Amino acid sequence: MTAQATNVPFAHGGSGVEAWHEVDASIHIYVGEPVCKNLATGGIAKAANAASMWFMGFAENEYDNSAVASLTTNRVLRVLSGIIREVAVTGAAITDEGKPLFLAADSGSFEVTNTAGTGTAGIITKFISATLVEAYFPPFGYGLVVGS
C-alpha cells in the first residue's frame, strides 16, 4: 500500500478526542490519513513503521507543509482518536475480533500480524473481510512507540 495522496473523509463511531498538532517539515497530510507523532521533532508525520514514531490517530483536516523545510510553528493539524472506524488490513480473519491491530511497514496501512515490529494502533472490533475490519483506536497516548 502506498501513502495516501488525496483527501478521504471517513465515517466513525463515537465523538472521539481531538487535539491540534504541529506538522513535520516537507510533508502533506490529507483528511483521513493515519498519522504518527515523530518523537525526534515533536511534529505529526505520515504514519509509518520507523524509529521514534507513535501512532496518534487520523487527520481531520488537510495541511500542506511540503514546501517548507521546518516544523510548523503553530498547531495547524487536527488529529482525531478514541474512535471506531473501518480500515484496510492484510490477512484478517473472523477469529481476529478483539485482537490488536498494528501499523504496517508502509504509510497508512494496518495489519493483524505484527510483522513490522510496531506498537499497537487499535483493537479489531468487527471482521468485515480479509482486507477490511472495523477497529477501535483509543485516545492519544495509548499506542506504543513504533519501530526500534
Side-chain angles (χ1 to χ4, degrees), residues 48-53 116-119 144-148:
N49 175 27
S52 299
M53 298 291 267
T118 64
L144 304 173
V145 174
V146 176
S148 53

Side-chain angles (χ1 to χ4, degrees), residues 3-8 23-35 44-47 59 61-68 72 77 107:
Q4 186 171 319
T6 61
N7 289 321
V8 181
V23 175
D24 262 359
S26 306
I27 62 169
H28 189 146
I29 302 288
Y30 294 94
V31 173
E33 187 168 14
V35 293
I44 292 293
K46 293 176 177 288
N61 64 299
E62 177 181 7
Y63 194 81
D64 186 358
N65 202 35
S66 59
V68 181
T72 58
L77 187 73
S107 185

Side-chain angles (χ1 to χ4, degrees), residues 2 4 14 22 38 75 79 84 110 114 122 128 146:
T2 59
Q4 186 171 319
E22 295 86 0
N38 182 340
R75 294 180 177 203
V79 177
I84 294 174
F110 296 92
N114 194 3
I128 299 169
V146 176

Side-chain angles (χ1 to χ4, degrees), residues 19-146:
W20 290 86
H21 295 274
E22 295 86 0
V23 175
D24 262 359
S26 306
I27 62 169
H28 189 146
I29 302 288
Y30 294 94
V31 173
E33 187 168 14
V35 293
C36 281
K37 178 86 154 188
N38 182 340
L39 300 179
T41 66
I44 292 293
K46 293 176 177 288
N49 175 27
S52 299
M53 298 291 267
W54 191 323
F55 181 77
M56 291 297 288
F58 300 90
E60 278 200 294
N61 64 299
E62 177 181 7
Y63 194 81
D64 186 358
N65 202 35
S66 59
V68 181
S70 61
L71 180 72
T72 58
T73 56
N74 298 312
R75 294 180 177 203
V76 295
L77 187 73
R78 191 172 61 244
V79 177
L80 182 67
S81 68
I83 61 168
I84 294 174
R85 74 168 283 191
E86 291 181 0
V87 292
V89 296
T90 54
I94 188 98
T95 55
D96 291 324
E97 287 184 4
K99 292 183 180 175
L101 185 65
F102 303 96
L103 189 60
D106 55 3
S107 185
S109 59
F110 296 92
E111 61 187 4
V112 296
T113 304
N114 194 3
T115 59
T118 64
T120 303
I123 304 295
I124 298 170
T125 57
K126 181 180 178 184
F127 170 81
I128 299 169
S129 72
T131 58
L132 187 67
V133 297
E134 179 182 270
Y136 172 65
F137 295 92
F140 312 112
Y142 173 81
L144 304 173
V145 174
V146 176

